[in-house]
Coordinates of all heavy atoms in Angstrom, one line a residue:
M285 N 12.3 34.2 -5.7 CA 12.9 32.9 -5.5 C 14.3 33.1 -5.1 O 15.0 33.9 -5.8 CB 12.7 32.0 -6.8 CG 12.9 30.6 -6.5 SD 12.7 29.5 -7.9 CE 11.0 29.6 -8.3
P286 N 14.8 32.5 -4.1 CA 16.2 32.7 -3.7 C 17.2 32.0 -4.6 O 16.8 31.1 -5.4 CB 16.3 32.1 -2.3 CG 15.3 31.0 -2.3 CD 14.2 31.5 -3.2
R287 N 18.5 32.3 -4.4 CA 19.5 31.5 -5.1 C 19.7 30.2 -4.3 O 19.9 30.2 -3.1 CB 20.8 32.4 -5.0 CG 21.9 31.8 -5.8 CD 23.0 32.8 -6.1 NE 24.1 32.1 -6.8 CZ 25.3 31.9 -6.3 NH1 25.6 32.3 -5.0 NH2 26.2 31.3 -6.9
F288 N 19.7 29.1 -5.0 CA 19.7 27.8 -4.3 C 21.1 27.3 -4.1 O 21.6 26.4 -4.8 CB 18.9 26.8 -5.1 CG 17.4 27.1 -5.2 CD1 16.8 27.6 -6.3 CD2 16.6 27.0 -4.0 CE1 15.5 27.9 -6.4 CE2 15.3 27.3 -4.0 CZ 14.7 27.8 -5.2
T289 N 21.7 27.9 -3.1 CA 23.0 27.4 -2.7 C 22.9 26.2 -1.8 O 21.8 25.8 -1.4 CB 23.8 28.5 -1.8 OG1 23.0 28.7 -0.6 CG2 23.9 29.8 -2.6
K290 N 24.0 25.5 -1.5 CA 24.0 24.3 -0.7 C 23.3 24.6 0.6 O 22.6 23.8 1.2 CB 25.4 23.8 -0.6 CG 25.5 22.4 0.0 CD 26.9 21.9 0.0 CE 27.0 20.5 0.6 NZ 28.3 20.0 0.5
E291 N 23.6 25.7 1.2 CA 23.1 26.1 2.5 C 21.6 26.3 2.5 O 20.9 25.9 3.4 CB 23.8 27.3 3.1 CG 25.3 27.1 3.4 CD 26.2 27.1 2.2 OE1 25.8 27.7 1.1 OE2 27.3 26.5 2.3
V292 N 21.1 27.0 1.5 CA 19.7 27.3 1.3 C 18.9 26.0 1.1 O 17.9 25.7 1.7 CB 19.4 28.2 0.1 CG1 17.9 28.3 -0.2 CG2 20.0 29.6 0.5
I293 N 19.5 25.1 0.3 CA 18.8 23.8 0.1 C 18.8 23.0 1.4 O 17.7 22.4 1.7 CB 19.6 23.0 -1.0 CG1 19.5 23.7 -2.4 CG2 19.1 21.5 -1.1 CD1 20.4 23.1 -3.4
Q294 N 19.8 23.0 2.2 CA 19.8 22.3 3.4 C 18.8 22.9 4.4 O 18.1 22.1 5.1 CB 21.2 22.2 4.0 CG 21.3 21.3 5.2 CD 21.0 19.9 4.9 OE1 21.5 19.3 4.0 NE2 20.0 19.3 5.6
T295 N 18.7 24.2 4.4 CA 17.7 24.8 5.3 C 16.3 24.4 4.9 O 15.5 24.1 5.8 CB 17.9 26.4 5.2 OG1 19.2 26.8 5.6 CG2 16.9 27.1 6.1
L296 N 16.0 24.4 3.6 CA 14.7 24.0 3.2 C 14.4 22.5 3.5 O 13.3 22.2 3.9 CB 14.6 24.2 1.7 CG 14.4 25.7 1.3 CD1 14.6 25.8 -0.3 CD2 13.1 26.3 1.7
L297 N 15.4 21.7 3.4 CA 15.2 20.3 3.7 C 15.0 20.1 5.2 O 14.1 19.3 5.6 CB 16.4 19.4 3.3 CG 16.6 19.3 1.8 CD1 17.9 18.5 1.5 CD2 15.4 18.6 1.1
D298 N 15.7 20.9 6.0 CA 15.5 20.8 7.5 C 14.2 21.3 7.9 O 13.6 20.7 8.8 CB 16.6 21.6 8.2 CG 18.0 21.0 8.1 OD1 18.1 19.7 7.8 OD2 19.0 21.7 8.2
Q299 N 13.7 22.3 7.2 CA 12.4 22.9 7.6 C 11.2 22.1 7.1 O 10.0 22.4 7.6 CB 12.2 24.3 7.0 CG 13.1 25.4 7.6 CD 12.9 26.7 7.0 OE1 13.6 27.6 7.4 NE2 12.0 26.9 6.1
N300 N 11.4 21.2 6.2 CA 10.3 20.4 5.6 C 10.3 19.0 5.9 O 10.0 18.1 5.0 CB 10.3 20.7 4.1 CG 9.8 22.1 3.8 OD1 8.7 22.4 3.8 ND2 10.8 23.0 3.6
E301 N 10.7 18.6 7.1 CA 10.7 17.2 7.5 C 9.4 16.5 7.3 O 8.3 17.1 7.6 CB 11.1 17.2 9.0 CG 11.2 15.8 9.6 CD 12.4 15.0 9.2 OE1 13.4 15.7 8.8 OE2 12.4 13.8 9.2
G302 N 9.4 15.4 6.7 CA 8.1 14.6 6.4 C 7.4 15.0 5.1 O 6.4 14.4 4.8
F303 N 8.0 16.0 4.4 CA 7.3 16.4 3.1 C 7.5 15.2 2.1 O 8.6 14.6 2.0 CB 8.0 17.6 2.6 CG 7.4 18.2 1.3 CD1 6.4 19.0 1.3 CD2 8.0 17.8 0.1 CE1 5.8 19.5 0.2 CE2 7.5 18.3 -1.1 CZ 6.4 19.2 -1.1
E304 N 6.4 14.9 1.4 CA 6.4 13.8 0.4 C 5.7 14.3 -0.9 O 4.7 15.0 -0.8 CB 5.8 12.6 0.9 CG 6.5 11.9 2.1 CD 5.9 10.6 2.5 OE1 5.1 10.1 1.7 OE2 6.3 10.2 3.6
R305 N 6.2 13.9 -2.0 CA 5.6 14.1 -3.3 C 5.9 13.0 -4.2 O 6.9 12.3 -4.1 CB 6.1 15.4 -4.0 CG 5.5 16.7 -3.5 CD 4.0 16.8 -3.7 NE 3.5 18.0 -3.3 CZ 3.0 18.2 -2.1 NH1 3.0 17.3 -1.2 NH2 2.5 19.4 -1.8
T306 N 4.9 12.7 -5.1 CA 5.1 11.6 -6.1 C 4.8 12.2 -7.5 O 3.9 12.9 -7.7 CB 4.1 10.5 -5.8 OG1 4.4 9.9 -4.5 CG2 4.3 9.4 -6.9
T307 N 5.7 11.9 -8.4 CA 5.5 12.3 -9.8 C 5.5 11.0 -10.6 O 5.9 10.0 -10.2 CB 6.7 13.2 -10.3 OG1 7.9 12.5 -10.2 CG2 6.7 14.5 -9.5
Y308 N 4.9 11.2 -11.8 CA 4.7 10.0 -12.7 C 5.1 10.4 -14.1 O 4.8 11.5 -14.6 CB 3.2 9.6 -12.7 CG 2.9 8.4 -13.6 CD1 3.2 7.2 -13.2 CD2 2.3 8.6 -14.8 CE1 2.9 6.1 -14.0 CE2 2.0 7.6 -15.6 CZ 2.3 6.3 -15.2 OH 2.0 5.2 -16.1
Y309 N 5.9 9.5 -14.8 CA 6.3 9.8 -16.1 C 6.0 8.5 -17.0 O 6.3 7.4 -16.5 CB 7.8 10.1 -16.2 CG 8.3 10.3 -17.6 CD1 8.1 11.4 -18.3 CD2 9.0 9.2 -18.2 CE1 8.5 11.6 -19.6 CE2 9.5 9.4 -19.5 CZ 9.3 10.6 -20.2 OH 9.7 10.7 -21.5
K310 N 5.4 8.7 -18.1 CA 5.1 7.6 -19.0 C 5.5 8.0 -20.4 O 5.2 9.1 -20.9 CB 3.7 7.3 -19.0 CG 3.3 6.0 -19.8 CD 1.9 5.7 -19.6 CE 1.6 4.4 -20.5 NZ 0.2 4.0 -20.3
D311 N 6.2 7.1 -21.1 CA 6.6 7.3 -22.5 C 6.2 6.0 -23.2 O 5.6 5.1 -22.6 CB 8.1 7.5 -22.6 CG 8.5 8.2 -23.9 OD1 7.6 8.5 -24.7 OD2 9.7 8.4 -24.2
R312 N 6.5 5.9 -24.5 CA 6.1 4.7 -25.3 C 6.5 3.4 -24.7 O 5.6 2.5 -24.6 CB 6.7 4.9 -26.7 CG 5.9 4.0 -27.7 CD 6.3 4.4 -29.0 NE 7.2 3.3 -29.5 CZ 8.0 3.4 -30.6 NH1 8.0 4.5 -31.2 NH2 8.7 2.4 -31.0
N313 N 7.7 3.2 -24.3 CA 8.2 1.9 -23.7 C 8.7 2.0 -22.3 O 9.6 1.3 -21.9 CB 9.2 1.3 -24.6 CG 8.7 0.9 -26.0 OD1 7.6 0.3 -26.0 ND2 9.4 1.2 -27.0
F314 N 8.3 3.0 -21.6 CA 8.9 3.3 -20.3 C 7.8 4.0 -19.4 O 7.1 4.8 -19.8 CB 10.1 4.2 -20.5 CG 10.8 4.6 -19.2 CD1 11.7 3.7 -18.6 CD2 10.5 5.8 -18.6 CE1 12.4 4.0 -17.5 CE2 11.2 6.1 -17.4 CZ 12.1 5.2 -16.9
R315 N 7.8 3.6 -18.1 CA 7.0 4.3 -17.2 C 7.7 4.3 -15.8 O 8.5 3.3 -15.5 CB 5.6 3.7 -17.0 CG 5.5 2.4 -16.4 CD 4.0 2.0 -16.2 NE 4.0 0.8 -15.4 CZ 3.4 -0.3 -15.8 NH1 2.8 -0.3 -17.0 NH2 3.4 -1.4 -15.1
E316 N 7.5 5.3 -15.1 CA 8.3 5.5 -13.8 C 7.5 6.4 -12.8 O 6.9 7.4 -13.2 CB 9.6 6.1 -14.1 CG 10.5 6.4 -12.9 CD 11.8 7.0 -13.3 OE1 11.8 8.0 -14.0 OE2 12.8 6.5 -12.9
D317 N 7.4 5.9 -11.6 CA 6.9 6.7 -10.5 C 8.1 7.2 -9.7 O 9.0 6.3 -9.3 CB 6.0 5.9 -9.6 CG 4.7 5.6 -10.2 OD1 4.1 6.4 -10.9 OD2 4.2 4.4 -10.0
N318 N 8.2 8.4 -9.4 CA 9.3 9.0 -8.5 C 8.6 9.5 -7.2 O 7.8 10.4 -7.3 CB 10.0 10.1 -9.2 CG 10.8 9.7 -10.4 OD1 11.6 8.7 -10.3 ND2 10.6 10.3 -11.5
H319 N 9.0 8.9 -6.1 CA 8.5 9.2 -4.8 C 9.6 9.9 -4.1 O 10.7 9.4 -3.8 CB 8.0 8.0 -4.1 CG 7.4 8.4 -2.8 ND1 6.1 8.9 -2.7 CD2 7.8 8.2 -1.5 CE1 5.9 9.1 -1.4 NE2 6.9 8.7 -0.7
Y320 N 9.4 11.2 -3.7 CA 10.3 12.0 -3.0 C 9.9 12.1 -1.5 O 8.8 12.4 -1.3 CB 10.4 13.4 -3.6 CG 10.8 13.5 -5.1 CD1 9.8 13.5 -6.0 CD2 12.1 13.5 -5.5 CE1 10.1 13.5 -7.4 CE2 12.4 13.5 -6.8 CZ 11.4 13.5 -7.8 OH 11.8 13.5 -9.1
R321 N 10.9 12.0 -0.6 CA 10.6 12.1 0.8 C 11.7 12.7 1.5 O 12.9 12.4 1.3 CB 10.4 10.6 1.3 CG 10.2 10.5 2.8 CD 10.0 9.1 3.2 NE 11.0 8.1 2.7 CZ 12.1 7.8 3.3 NH1 12.4 8.3 4.4 NH2 12.9 6.9 2.7
I322 N 11.4 13.7 2.4 CA 12.4 14.4 3.2 C 12.4 13.8 4.6 O 11.3 13.8 5.2 CB 12.2 15.9 3.2 CG1 12.2 16.5 1.8 CG2 13.2 16.6 4.1 CD1 11.9 18.0 1.8
S323 N 13.5 13.3 5.0 CA 13.6 12.7 6.3 C 15.0 12.9 6.9 O 16.0 12.7 6.2 CB 13.3 11.2 6.2 OG 13.5 10.6 7.4
G324 N 15.1 13.4 8.1 CA 16.4 13.6 8.7 C 17.2 14.6 8.0 O 18.5 14.5 8.1
G325 N 16.6 15.6 7.4 CA 17.4 16.6 6.7 C 18.0 16.1 5.3 O 18.8 16.8 4.7
N326 N 17.5 15.0 4.9 CA 18.0 14.4 3.6 C 16.8 14.2 2.7 O 15.7 14.0 3.2 CB 18.7 13.1 3.8 CG 20.0 13.2 4.6 OD1 20.8 14.0 4.3 ND2 20.1 12.4 5.7
L327 N 17.1 14.2 1.4 CA 16.0 13.9 0.4 C 16.3 12.5 -0.1 O 17.4 12.2 -0.6 CB 16.1 14.9 -0.7 CG 15.2 14.7 -1.9 CD1 13.7 14.8 -1.5 CD2 15.4 15.7 -3.0
Y328 N 15.2 11.7 -0.1 CA 15.3 10.3 -0.6 C 14.4 10.2 -1.8 O 13.3 10.8 -1.8 CB 14.8 9.3 0.5 CG 15.7 9.3 1.7 CD1 15.5 10.1 2.8 CD2 16.8 8.4 1.7 CE1 16.3 10.0 3.9 CE2 17.7 8.4 2.8 CZ 17.4 9.2 3.9 OH 18.3 9.2 4.9
I329 N 14.9 9.6 -2.8 CA 14.2 9.4 -4.1 C 14.0 7.9 -4.3 O 15.0 7.2 -4.4 CB 14.9 10.0 -5.3 CG1 15.2 11.5 -5.0 CG2 14.1 9.8 -6.6 CD1 16.1 12.1 -6.1
R330 N 12.7 7.5 -4.5 CA 12.4 6.1 -4.8 C 11.8 6.0 -6.2 O 10.9 6.7 -6.4 CB 11.5 5.5 -3.7 CG 11.2 4.0 -4.0 CD 10.3 3.5 -2.9 NE 10.0 2.1 -3.2 CZ 9.1 1.4 -2.7 NH1 8.3 1.9 -1.8 NH2 8.9 0.1 -3.0
R331 N 12.5 5.3 -7.0 CA 12.0 5.1 -8.4 C 11.4 3.7 -8.6 O 12.1 2.7 -8.3 CB 13.1 5.3 -9.4 CG 13.7 6.7 -9.4 CD 14.8 6.9 -10.4 NE 15.2 8.2 -10.5 CZ 16.2 8.7 -9.8 NH1 16.8 8.0 -8.9 NH2 16.5 10.0 -9.9
I332 N 10.2 3.7 -9.1 CA 9.5 2.4 -9.4 C 9.0 2.5 -10.8 O 8.4 3.4 -11.2 CB 8.3 2.2 -8.4 CG1 8.8 2.3 -7.0 CG2 7.6 0.9 -8.7 CD1 7.7 2.4 -6.0
G333 N 9.3 1.4 -11.6 CA 8.8 1.5 -12.9 C 9.2 0.2 -13.7 O 9.7 -0.8 -13.2
K334 N 9.1 0.3 -15.1 CA 9.4 -0.7 -15.9 C 9.7 -0.2 -17.3 O 9.2 0.9 -17.7 CB 8.4 -1.8 -15.9 CG 7.1 -1.6 -16.7 CD 6.1 -2.7 -16.5 CE 5.9 -3.6 -17.6 NZ 6.3 -4.1 -18.7
T335 N 10.4 -1.0 -18.1 CA 10.7 -0.6 -19.5 C 10.1 -1.8 -20.4 O 9.4 -2.6 -19.9 CB 12.2 -0.5 -19.8 OG1 12.8 -1.8 -19.6 CG2 12.8 0.5 -18.9
S336 N 10.4 -1.7 -21.6 CA 9.7 -2.7 -22.5 C 10.4 -4.1 -22.5 O 9.8 -5.1 -23.0 CB 9.8 -2.2 -24.0 OG 11.2 -2.0 -24.3
W337 N 11.5 -4.2 -21.8 CA 12.2 -5.5 -21.7 C 11.5 -6.4 -20.7 O 10.9 -5.9 -19.8 CB 13.7 -5.3 -21.3 CG 14.4 -4.6 -22.4 CD1 14.6 -3.3 -22.5 CD2 15.1 -5.2 -23.5 NE1 15.3 -3.0 -23.6 CE2 15.7 -4.2 -24.2 CE3 15.3 -6.5 -23.9 CZ2 16.4 -4.4 -25.4 CZ3 16.0 -6.7 -25.1 CH2 16.6 -5.7 -25.8
S338 N 11.5 -7.7 -20.9 CA 10.7 -8.6 -20.0 C 11.2 -8.6 -18.6 O 10.4 -8.8 -17.7 CB 10.8 -10.0 -20.6 OG 12.1 -10.5 -20.6
D339 N 12.5 -8.4 -18.3 CA 13.0 -8.4 -17.0 C 13.3 -7.0 -16.5 O 14.3 -6.7 -15.8 CB 14.2 -9.3 -16.9 CG 15.4 -8.8 -17.7 OD1 15.1 -7.9 -18.6 OD2 16.5 -9.2 -17.6
S340 N 12.5 -6.0 -16.9 CA 12.9 -4.6 -16.8 C 12.3 -3.9 -15.6 O 12.4 -2.7 -15.5 CB 12.6 -3.9 -18.0 OG 11.2 -3.9 -18.2
K341 N 11.6 -4.6 -14.7 CA 11.0 -3.9 -13.6 C 12.1 -3.4 -12.6 O 13.1 -4.1 -12.4 CB 10.0 -4.8 -12.9 CG 8.8 -5.1 -13.7 CD 7.8 -5.9 -12.9 CE 6.6 -6.2 -13.8 NZ 5.6 -7.0 -13.1
F342 N 11.9 -2.3 -12.0 CA 12.9 -1.8 -11.1 C 12.2 -1.1 -9.9 O 11.1 -0.6 -10.1 CB 13.9 -0.8 -11.7 CG 13.3 0.4 -12.4 CD1 13.2 1.6 -11.8 CD2 12.9 0.3 -13.8 CE1 12.6 2.7 -12.4 CE2 12.4 1.4 -14.4 CZ 12.2 2.6 -13.7
D343 N 12.8 -1.1 -8.8 CA 12.3 -0.5 -7.6 C 13.6 -0.2 -6.8 O 14.2 -1.1 -6.2 CB 11.4 -1.4 -6.8 CG 10.8 -0.7 -5.6 OD1 11.3 0.4 -5.2 OD2 9.9 -1.3 -5.0
E344 N 14.0 1.1 -6.8 CA 15.3 1.5 -6.1 C 15.1 2.8 -5.4 O 14.3 3.6 -5.8 CB 16.4 1.6 -7.1 CG 16.1 2.5 -8.3 CD 17.0 2.3 -9.5 OE1 17.5 1.2 -9.7 OE2 17.2 3.3 -10.2
E345 N 15.8 2.9 -4.3 CA 15.8 4.1 -3.5 C 17.2 4.6 -3.3 O 18.1 3.8 -3.1 CB 15.1 3.9 -2.1 CG 15.0 5.2 -1.3 CD 14.2 5.0 0.0 OE1 14.7 4.3 0.8 OE2 13.1 5.6 0.0
E346 N 17.4 5.9 -3.4 CA 18.7 6.5 -3.2 C 18.6 7.8 -2.4 O 17.6 8.5 -2.4 CB 19.4 6.7 -4.5 CG 18.7 7.8 -5.4 CD 19.4 8.0 -6.7 OE1 20.6 7.7 -6.8 OE2 18.7 8.5 -7.6
L347 N 19.7 8.2 -1.8 CA 19.8 9.5 -1.2 C 20.2 10.5 -2.2 O 21.2 10.3 -3.0 CB 20.9 9.4 -0.1 CG 21.2 10.6 0.7 CD1 20.0 11.0 1.5 CD2 22.4 10.4 1.7
A348 N 19.5 11.6 -2.3 CA 19.7 12.6 -3.4 C 21.0 13.3 -3.2 O 21.4 13.6 -2.0 CB 18.6 13.5 -3.5
D349 N 21.8 13.6 -4.2 CA 22.9 14.4 -4.1 C 22.5 15.9 -4.2 O 21.3 16.2 -4.3 CB 24.0 14.1 -5.2 CG 23.5 14.3 -6.6 OD1 22.5 15.1 -6.8 OD2 24.1 13.7 -7.5
V350 N 23.4 16.8 -4.2 CA 23.1 18.2 -4.1 C 22.4 18.7 -5.4 O 21.4 19.4 -5.3 CB 24.4 19.1 -4.0 CG1 24.1 20.6 -4.1 CG2 25.1 18.7 -2.6
E351 N 22.8 18.2 -6.5 CA 22.1 18.6 -7.8 C 20.7 18.1 -7.9 O 19.8 18.8 -8.3 CB 22.9 18.2 -9.0 CG 24.1 19.0 -9.3 CD 23.8 20.5 -9.3 OE1 22.9 20.9 -10.1 OE2 24.5 21.3 -8.7
Q352 N 20.5 16.9 -7.4 CA 19.1 16.3 -7.4 C 18.2 17.1 -6.4 O 17.1 17.4 -6.7 CB 19.1 14.8 -7.0 CG 19.7 13.9 -8.1 CD 20.0 12.5 -7.6 OE1 20.4 12.3 -6.5 NE2 19.7 11.6 -8.5
A353 N 18.8 17.4 -5.3 CA 18.1 18.2 -4.3 C 17.7 19.6 -4.8 O 16.6 20.1 -4.6 CB 18.9 18.3 -3.0
R354 N 18.7 20.2 -5.5 CA 18.4 21.5 -6.1 C 17.2 21.5 -7.1 O 16.4 22.3 -7.0 CB 19.7 22.0 -6.8 CG 19.5 23.4 -7.4 CD 20.8 24.0 -7.9 NE 21.7 24.3 -6.8 CZ 22.9 23.8 -6.5 NH1 23.4 22.9 -7.3 NH2 23.6 24.2 -5.5
K355 N 17.2 20.5 -7.9 CA 16.1 20.3 -8.9 C 14.8 20.1 -8.2 O 13.8 20.7 -8.6 CB 16.4 19.2 -9.9 CG 17.5 19.5 -10.8 CD 17.7 18.3 -11.7 CE 18.9 18.5 -12.7 NZ 19.2 17.4 -13.5
F356 N 14.8 19.3 -7.1 CA 13.6 19.0 -6.4 C 13.1 20.3 -5.7 O 11.9 20.6 -5.8 CB 13.9 18.0 -5.3 CG 12.8 17.8 -4.3 CD1 11.7 17.0 -4.6 CD2 12.9 18.4 -3.1 CE1 10.7 16.9 -3.7 CE2 11.8 18.3 -2.1 CZ 10.7 17.5 -2.5
V357 N 14.0 21.1 -5.1 CA 13.6 22.3 -4.4 C 13.0 23.3 -5.4 O 12.0 24.0 -5.1 CB 14.8 22.9 -3.6 CG1 14.5 24.2 -3.1 CG2 15.1 21.9 -2.4
K358 N 13.6 23.4 -6.5 CA 13.1 24.4 -7.5 C 11.7 24.0 -8.0 O 10.9 24.8 -8.2 CB 14.1 24.4 -8.7 CG 15.3 25.3 -8.5 CD 16.2 25.3 -9.8 CE 17.4 26.2 -9.6 NZ 18.2 26.2 -10.8
K359 N 11.6 22.7 -8.2 CA 10.3 22.2 -8.8 C 9.2 22.3 -7.8 O 8.0 22.7 -8.1 CB 10.4 20.7 -9.1 CG 9.2 20.1 -9.8 CD 9.5 18.7 -10.3 CE 8.3 18.2 -11.1 NZ 8.6 16.9 -11.7
F360 N 9.4 22.1 -6.5 CA 8.4 22.1 -5.5 C 8.5 23.3 -4.5 O 7.9 23.3 -3.4 CB 8.4 20.8 -4.7 CG 8.0 19.6 -5.5 CD1 9.0 18.7 -5.9 CD2 6.8 19.4 -6.0 CE1 8.7 17.6 -6.7 CE2 6.4 18.3 -6.8 CZ 7.4 17.4 -7.1
Y361 N 9.2 24.3 -4.9 CA 9.4 25.5 -4.1 C 8.1 26.1 -3.5 O 8.0 26.4 -2.3 CB 10.2 26.6 -4.8 CG 10.5 27.8 -4.0 CD1 11.6 27.7 -3.0 CD2 9.9 29.0 -4.1 CE1 11.9 28.8 -2.2 CE2 10.2 30.1 -3.3 CZ 11.2 30.0 -2.4 OH 11.5 31.0 -1.6
D362 N 7.1 26.2 -4.3 CA 5.8 26.8 -3.9 C 5.1 26.0 -2.9 O 4.3 26.5 -2.1 CB 4.9 27.1 -5.1 CG 5.5 28.2 -6.0 OD1 6.2 29.0 -5.5 OD2 5.2 28.2 -7.2
D363 N 5.4 24.6 -2.8 CA 4.7 23.7 -1.9 C 5.5 23.6 -0.6 O 5.0 23.1 0.4 CB 4.6 22.4 -2.5 CG 3.7 22.4 -3.7 OD1 2.8 23.3 -3.8 OD2 3.9 21.5 -4.6
L364 N 6.7 24.0 -0.5 CA 7.6 23.9 0.7 C 7.4 25.0 1.7 O 7.0 26.1 1.3 CB 9.1 23.8 0.3 CG 9.5 22.6 -0.6 CD1 10.9 22.8 -1.1 CD2 9.4 21.3 0.2
N365 N 7.7 24.8 2.9 CA 7.7 25.8 4.0 C 9.0 26.6 3.8 O 10.1 26.1 4.0 CB 7.7 25.2 5.4 CG 7.9 26.2 6.5 OD1 7.9 27.3 6.2 ND2 8.0 25.6 7.7
C366 N 9.0 27.8 3.3 CA 10.1 28.6 3.0 C 10.3 29.8 4.0 O 11.0 30.8 3.6 CB 10.0 29.1 1.6 SG 9.8 27.8 0.3
D367 N 9.8 29.7 5.2 CA 10.0 30.7 6.2 C 11.5 31.0 6.4 O 12.2 30.1 6.7 CB 9.3 30.3 7.5 CG 7.8 30.2 7.3 OD1 7.3 30.8 6.4 OD2 7.2 29.6 8.2
G368 N 11.9 32.3 6.4 CA 13.2 32.7 6.7 C 14.2 32.4 5.5 O 15.4 32.7 5.7
V369 N 13.8 31.9 4.4 CA 14.7 31.7 3.3 C 14.5 32.9 2.3 O 13.4 33.2 1.8 CB 14.4 30.4 2.6 CG1 15.2 30.2 1.4 CG2 14.6 29.2 3.6
E370 N 15.6 33.5 2.0 CA 15.6 34.6 1.1 C 16.6 34.4 0.0 O 17.6 33.9 0.1 CB 15.9 35.9 1.8 CG 14.8 36.3 2.8 CD 15.1 37.6 3.5 OE1 15.9 38.3 3.0 OE2 14.6 37.7 4.6

């Protein structure tokens, strides 16, 4: 596994255009779906879920920062196209 510098992360994002994954988390009073999508060399994270409060449903999408992208790349490294990355 390479050292995940900013340049390596960007290379992996560029090589994996269209890659998508969804994760699910559930706890006692909380549930959340995280949908990850690589588009245009950027990682987008969409969170959908709810908490125990009555008005607590949420659906938000954000552009991942470098740390979020690093965690994503580490988690899904084996599923990504890693050609030329050392």
